[in-house]
Amino acid sequence: MDVLLAGATGFTGSRVLDLLLENGHRVACLVRPWSDAEAIEKLDVAVVRGSLEEAPVLADALRGRDALVSAGPLTPATANGIVGAAGASCVARIVVIGTTSIFTNLNAASKTRKTEAESTIRDSGLDYTLLRPTMIYGTHEDRNMCRLVRYLSTHTFMPVFGSGKHLQQPVHVEDLARAVVLALENPVSIGKAYDVAGGEAVTYSEVIDTTARLLGRRVVRVHLPLGLSLALVRLYRKVAPNPQIHAEQVLRLNEDKAFSTEEIERDLGYDAVGFEEGMRREIEEIRSWDLARRSRT
Ligand SMILES: NC(=O)c1ccc[n+]([C@@H]2O[C@H](COP(=O)([O-])OP(=O)(O)OC[C@H]3O[C@@H](n4cnc5c(N)ncnc54)[C@H](OP(=O)(O)O)[C@@H]3O)[C@@H](O)[C@H]2O)c1
């Protein structure tokens, strides 16, 4: 297929790009004007400058192609851009990445915006597939497990906000990228929204224990009651110059985030690595990346 890919400079999009090329698709990448596209320009792909919000630019880039794949953010503005451009260019096939965070029980502002964006896609009349990943992990580029790996590599005491018993089901970036390409290639996925989760649900305490074991580290979990955790995070946000934790993240850690992948398995043959194997791969990748970086400097 002849595909326009948005988000190819990102964590997931770069894997999607590799897989699309491996599978013999022709790819053009939509890259924002200020974005560094050096790595993409070395590949056999065209680069078009523009953003998902800009329907006219996107329509020009899309015209004559078979599909739009977006690994960029799904917001009301990007959803409107995508739908407008698809209509103007008469390209109906779109595969977009959303998020399972729309299922949170928290009254988060981001939930309303993301749900609205999803509805724009689902009500568009286009041949859409919507993939909703859970937390994505898998390399030094992720903003989730990589931070945990780095922290546990040098610290013995690990604060746990709340009981640590709530479930999460992170998805390895390679599995998500494969799900995107499977969806694009299989028309069974048209008009469907799939949750895309990892091979197993694990508690937050298990996440910490498994990661520490794989790192060969002895780590002591220090559990802080939820109320105290929230008070500490709020205080930290007031005093820290560049705070890295939000109260919402603490609350999200204290709700279950396990999702069934039955539908995508049945329709597309999706399968995903279990958490321990995924983390083993991530730690190996981080170590090689660190080694390569040290040898360059
Ligand atoms: N990371 C997670 O744990 C997680 C969990 C659930 C869902 N998601 C969703 O999954 C998708 C992929 O996540 P990720 O972590 O791989 O994201 P990422 O690394 O932040 O990459 C996002 C990509 O989208 C591009 N982009 C951003 N805004 C754009 C716009 N307006 N128009 C065109 N391109 C734009 C970025 O390009 P630039 O180079 O220009 O910045 C980048 O290439 C995102 O939609 C994210 O919301 C992520």
Side-chain angles (χ1 to χ4, degrees):
M1 291 172 93
D2 195 330
V3 179
L4 180 68
L5 171 66
T9 59
F11 176 43
T12 306
S14 57
R15 266 55 178 201
V16 173
L17 174 58
D18 290 345
L19 276 188
L20 287 171
L21 294 174
E22 254 174 63
N23 284 13
H25 298 288
R26 277 184 307 283
V27 186
C29 296
L30 180 83
V31 179
R32 292 194 289 179
W34 52 85
S35 189
D36 179 3
E38 202 187 324
I40 298 176
E41 279 159 354
K42 290 183 188 142
L43 303 171
D44 184 20
V45 299
V47 173
V48 183
R49 293 288 175 171
S51 80
L52 287 166
E53 290 98 335
E54 294 172 277
V57 178
L58 188 54
D60 281 349
L62 203 47
R63 209 160 274 124
R65 303 192 193 277
D66 301 310
L68 169 69
V69 173
S70 173
L74 187 59
T75 65
T78 61
N80 282 325
I82 290 170
V83 172
S89 61
C90 300
V91 175
R93 183 71 177 115
I94 58 168
V95 177
V96 295
I97 298 184
T99 172
T100 52
S101 68
I102 62 157
F103 298 119
T104 179
N105 291 319
L106 300 178
N107 196 11
S110 58
K111 173 178 171 169
T112 314
R113 280 190 293 107
K114 287 170 185 172
T115 308
E116 182 191 329
E118 262 211 8
S119 302
T120 301
I121 298 293
R122 293 171 69 127
D123 299 342
S124 63
L126 295 170
D127 292 344
Y128 76 86
T129 305
L130 178 61
L131 297 159
R132 298 188 197 105
T134 53
M135 176 203 291
I136 310 166
Y137 75 109
T139 73
H140 69 277
E141 290 161 303
D142 83 50
R143 291 174 291 275
N144 304 303
M145 293 304 168
C146 182
R147 284 161 77 180
L148 182 69
V149 168
R150 300 240 180 258
Y151 182 88
L152 294 181
S153 299
T154 50
H155 294 75
T156 301
F157 295 99
M158 173 71 199
V160 179
F161 302 124
S163 71
K165 288 183 182 158
H166 291 279
L167 291 171
Q168 46 183 269
Q169 198 168 346
V171 59
H172 195 281
V173 66
E174 299 293 347
D175 292 332
L176 174 58
R178 204 153 16 80
V180 171
V181 177
L182 284 169
L184 174 73
E185 292 173 345
N186 191 338
V188 165
S189 73
I190 290 175
K192 303 255 180 85
Y194 298 106
D195 298 337
V196 189
E200 73 190 305
V202 282
T203 65
Y204 188 50
S205 293
E206 286 167 340
V207 166
I208 294 165
D209 294 351
T210 302
T211 307
R213 183 161 34 76
L214 290 168
L215 286 167
R217 300 270 309 163
R218 184 180 160 271
V219 168
V220 179
R221 284 187 265 117
V222 182
H223 287 263
L224 305 169
L226 183 56
L228 176 63
S229 305
L230 288 171
L232 287 174
V233 168
R234 284 178 184 132
L235 181 69
Y236 158 77
R237 289 191 63 77
K238 277 197 183 130
V239 297
N242 181 23
Q244 300 288 318
I245 307 174
H246 297 265
E248 192 181 317
Q249 285 170 296
V250 172
L251 290 166
R252 284 280 284 153
L253 273 177
N254 285 276
E255 62 177 3
D256 283 332
K257 297 179 289 292
F259 295 89
S260 168
T261 52
E262 231 172 78
E263 199 179 358
I264 190 166
E265 284 170 31
R266 192 191 54 231
D267 282 3
L268 304 179
Y270 170 79
D271 66 351
V273 288
F275 181 71
E276 178 159 351
E277 173 57 19
M279 278 311 285
R280 194 191 57 69
R281 292 184 198 174
E282 165 146 2
I283 290 168
E284 204 174 280
E285 195 274 349
I286 291 173
R287 284 178 173 158
S288 335
W289 191 79
D290 284 351
L291 213 67
R293 192 183 47 173
R294 272 200 295 275
S295 69
R296 276 197 303 271
T297 53

